[in-house]
Amino acid sequence: MNRVFTITTPIYYVNGLPHIGHSYTTIAADCLARHKRRRGYDVVFLTGTDEHGQKVLKAAEEKGLTPQAFVDGIIPRFKELWRRLDITNDDFIRTTEPRHAEAVGYFLSELYKKGDLYLGSYKGLYCVPCEVFWTEKQAVGGQCPDCRRPVEKIVESNYFFKMSAYQAWLLDYIKTHPGFILPDSRQNEVLSFLEENQLGDLCVSRPKTRLSWGIPLPFSPDHVTYVWFDALINYVSALGYPGHRERFDEFWPEAIHLIGKDILRQHAVFWPIMLHAMGLNPPKRIFAHGWWQVGEEKMSKSRGNVVNPLDVIDEFGIDVYRYFLLREVPFGLDGVFSREAIVQRFNGDLANDLGNLVYRTLTMAEKYFDGRIPVLNKATLDPAARQNILPKIDGLAARVDAALDGQDFIAALEAIWELIAACNKHIEVTKPWNLKKENRTSELENFIAVLAAAIRLAGEEVGPFMPATSQKINAQIGADRVAKGDPLFPRIIEEKKQ
Ligand code: MSP
């Protein structure tokens, strides 16, 4: 049987242009997808856009466009960014596509038939920008607890999903499936939420009179679907549900959702219950990462302190940007984005450690062997290399696998960098120029050969993080003759500010 892997990003709201927050999840997903493909898995990597709802409608109105024309204008910007960032998504689902609307209609019809949806009257406090209803207790001072803007009192007739009926099932499911919600701190957050609160039923419709931009309810001409109920279904509609059951059944059990911590409740409470009510299993895992902030502030479109990923890659390159995001902050924790931090990572990890190792090794191969990479003879390898480098070569793939299976990007990179550090140290300790002087040719051959083997492997394993760098390393040292180019990461020398 084929080994399969399914990885998803949230589908992004298209009320503005993509920023580093969006690119973070997408790069993380891309790294995992590339890693699994290299290991021979059949991968489906999904991303897309969330195009309905009030937020998008409002943004369209501000531009004087119909919502469809507005979203059609923004989508190319997302696709272009993913192309620029070397993202290898296998599909791009838009919630305005018929294949998605069909799946949403199917969910609604089935749940309605089953008696899991009912018509009720909704009185609530609603935050328009966040599109979330809040209770009196949550909306302290009449403010949205998320964005702090005023909430509006709303009374309307709507359809409700009997979410409350499934609370006990969900609690039990989470408790009996460790690793379903990661990191553990997020799992515990969801568990205490479920233990301390009585779940209400989920309002899944909006009256057309208030909001017409959405997927129609199959059984009510007066309503459209609530944007979150619509959006979550993208994960299954993109896999072909309900029409292409075979593909869906193959890939769904392995699905991992990467999301930001701000949308944990929708993914870890609403979504598993929706699936369960439909007779489907929850995804394999939901991993909620932290937030990037700029200085002291959370970065968001509404705060206007958004960093444009294209500016960063214009200055540092795609690979450096990808490396920085995944290396700087543990996936799951919050981080601070700054130019200085990128320069530090660049000069340290990339220029001094990796770039330098490759450059020195290529230079030595040219100088001592006319560019030939000698063949490694493990039997005669110097004991220091045998002890300090060989085990790191042999164990690297398994360490990277284990780290990435837990979405621990830093642990995977640390494993690679331990090998790099061991090689750099080995060069300093061995002093190859002495071997040359003393005509110890076979030792010198083995010395270069073991470094080349380590670099090739490090270059392979770093590929999911830095695809272009991996290719460059392979082009320079992948064959039995070196092809030295420019240094991979020439040090950045910052001019002192006056
Ligand atoms: N459309 C919904 C998701 C529906 S998924 C069925 C949505 N879209 S969003 O565009 O607002 O946000 C998408 C993702 O970007 C979220 O996971 C969010 O956490 C992430 N980020 C937005 N700003 C961020 C940072 N500053 N830092 C890290 N990630 C952040 O929510």
Side-chain angles (χ1 to χ4, degrees):
M1 223 186 72
N2 266 355
R3 294 184 302 169
V4 302
F5 180 70
T6 308
I7 187 80
T8 72
T9 76
I11 48 171
Y12 302 107
Y13 283 131
V14 288
N15 55 335
L17 296 179
H19 58 67
I20 60 167
H22 304 122
S23 72
Y24 183 44
T25 329
T26 310
I27 288 170
D30 185 63
C31 177
L32 299 176
R34 284 173 180 269
H35 171 72
K36 287 292 189 189
R37 285 193 203 108
R38 277 167 185 262
R39 298 287 197 258
Y41 282 68
D42 220 345
V43 172
V44 173
F45 166 16
L46 299 175
T47 190
T49 40
D50 189 354
E51 306 186 10
H52 292 121
Q54 200 134 328
K55 255 203 244 216
V56 173
L57 181 64
K58 237 171 77 186
E61 280 166 355
E62 278 162 19
K63 290 245 153 47
L65 293 171
T66 64
Q68 189 68 54
F70 172 75
V71 296
D72 288 347
I74 299 256
I75 301 308
R77 309 291 290 270
F78 276 84
K79 290 191 168 168
E80 168 66 7
L81 177 65
W82 303 151
R83 203 185 56 75
R84 292 279 310 272
L85 290 173
D86 262 350
I87 300 300
T88 56
N89 54 301
D90 297 294
D91 199 347
F92 187 101
I93 181 125
R94 298 181 54 178
T95 53
T96 48
E97 286 176 68
R99 59 171 170 156
H100 177 71
E102 275 162 31
V104 173
Y106 184 73
F107 258 73
L108 289 164
S109 309
E110 290 298 301
L111 294 177
Y112 189 60
K113 267 196 263 171
K114 226 183 129 197
D116 271 349
L117 295 184
Y118 64 90
L119 187 65
S121 129
Y122 195 90
K123 298 183 203 60
L125 299 171
Y126 190 65
C127 173
V128 178
C130 297
E131 304 195 52
V132 176
F133 279 104
W134 299 105
T135 60
E136 295 276 355
K137 210 170 106 196
Q138 289 167 323
V140 182
Q143 280 187 347
C144 168
D146 276 354
C147 73
R148 305 266 161 235
R149 282 173 284 205
V151 290
E152 286 173 28
K153 261 208 177 105
I154 287 187
V155 183
E156 57 192 26
S157 109
N158 269 314
Y159 284 86
F160 288 80
F161 169 47
K162 286 188 186 163
M163 205 160 67
S164 55
Y166 297 99
Q167 178 162 3
W169 166 80
L170 182 61
L171 246 177
D172 180 65
Y173 186 88
I174 298 172
K175 284 184 176 162
T176 52
H177 292 78
F180 169 51
I181 302 170
L182 284 182
D184 288 342
S185 57
R186 298 290 166 208
Q187 175 202 276
N188 296 339
E189 189 184 310
V190 175
L191 281 177
S192 12
F193 170 74
L194 289 170
E195 270 157 359
E196 286 156 25
N197 296 279
Q198 175 63 49
L199 267 190
D201 288 343
L202 182 67
C203 179
V204 298
S205 70
R206 295 294 178 262
K208 274 191 185 157
T209 45
R210 175 158 72 77
L211 175 69
S212 59
W213 179 235
I215 296 177
L217 246 56
F219 41 81
S220 165
D222 303 327
H223 293 91
V224 296
T225 313
Y226 168 46
V227 68
W228 266 105
F229 191 88
D230 157 357
L232 288 162
I233 293 171
N234 92 86
Y235 299 124
V236 299
S237 64
L239 288 179
Y241 182 86
H244 299 89
R245 268 313 278 257
E246 228 173 88
R247 181 162 188 267
F248 172 77
D249 288 341
E250 185 181 3
F251 285 95
W252 180 245
E254 294 303 317
I256 296 180
H257 297 328
L258 302 186
I259 60 165
K261 63 179 186 179
D262 54 313
I263 52 177
L264 179 63
R265 192 164 305 168
Q266 289 88 341
H267 282 82
V269 179
F270 300 2
W271 182 224
I273 291 183
M274 284 165 66
L275 289 159
H276 183 66
M278 288 294 288
L280 300 172
N281 287 325
K284 180 171 176 173
R285 170 165 300 162
I286 298 160
F287 195 112
H289 64 65
W291 270 57
W292 285 97
Q293 52 181 47
V294 177
E296 297 293 293
E297 288 230 299
K298 197 162 126 176
M299 193 191 62
S300 71
K301 282 172 272 204
S302 42
R303 283 191 176 77
N305 60 351
V306 167
V307 177
N308 182 348
L310 293 176
D311 296 340
V312 186
I313 66 173
D314 280 347
E315 181 172 5
F316 295 99
I318 299 165
D319 280 14
V320 176
Y321 179 62
R322 291 173 60 111
Y323 175 80
F324 175 78
L325 290 180
L326 298 178
R327 177 64 187 83
E328 183 71 3
V329 175
F331 204 55
L333 299 187
D334 293 343
V336 179
F337 191 89
S338 78
R339 219 189 141 270
E340 296 72 48
I342 301 182
V343 170
Q344 215 168 10
R345 285 272 164 215
F346 185 100
N347 282 340
D349 307 356
L350 299 178
N352 276 359
D353 300 343
L354 173 60
N356 206 12
L357 171 64
V358 175
Y359 201 75
R360 288 157 100 184
T361 306
L362 292 170
T363 308
M364 291 187 289
E366 282 190 333
K367 190 161 155 201
Y368 301 138
F369 299 110
D370 263 345
R372 176 176 62 88
I373 305 273
V375 178
L376 178 64
N377 181 350
K378 282 192 193 174
T380 61
L381 189 63
D382 140 36
R386 196 177 306 192
Q387 196 184 334
N388 302 326
I389 298 181
L390 279 194
K392 292 203 166 66
I393 291 181
D394 293 340
L396 186 61
R399 277 187 69 187
V400 171
D401 283 349
L404 292 184
D405 280 345
Q407 291 74 47
D408 189 343
F409 299 97
I410 293 186
L413 288 168
E414 274 173 354
I416 302 171
W417 257 255
E418 277 175 27
L419 175 61
I420 293 171
C423 290
N424 276 325
K425 185 155 177 233
H426 187 59
I427 298 176
E428 272 131 48
V429 173
T430 307
K431 304 196 175 58
W433 47 94
N434 287 341
L435 299 181
K436 175 72 186 165
K437 235 189 316 191
E438 293 161 20
N439 270 334
R440 291 152 67 185
T441 309
S442 71
E443 280 169 70
L444 193 58
E445 280 183 339
N446 248 348
F447 169 80
I448 299 292
V450 79
L451 293 177
I455 292 170
R456 285 171 186 155
L457 180 66
E460 277 286 310
E461 294 295 328
V462 93
F465 297 85
M466 297 192 286
T469 302
S470 173
Q471 278 179 8
K472 276 191 214 158
I473 293 174
N474 186 48
Q476 294 188 355
I477 200 169
D480 51 10
R481 291 204 65 79
V482 305
K484 195 164 129 193
D486 294 332
L488 295 171
F489 301 104
R491 263 187 89 81
I492 299 173
I493 298 164
E494 295 275 63
E495 280 170 31
K496 282 241 160 66
K497 294 214 174 80
Q498 297 300 317

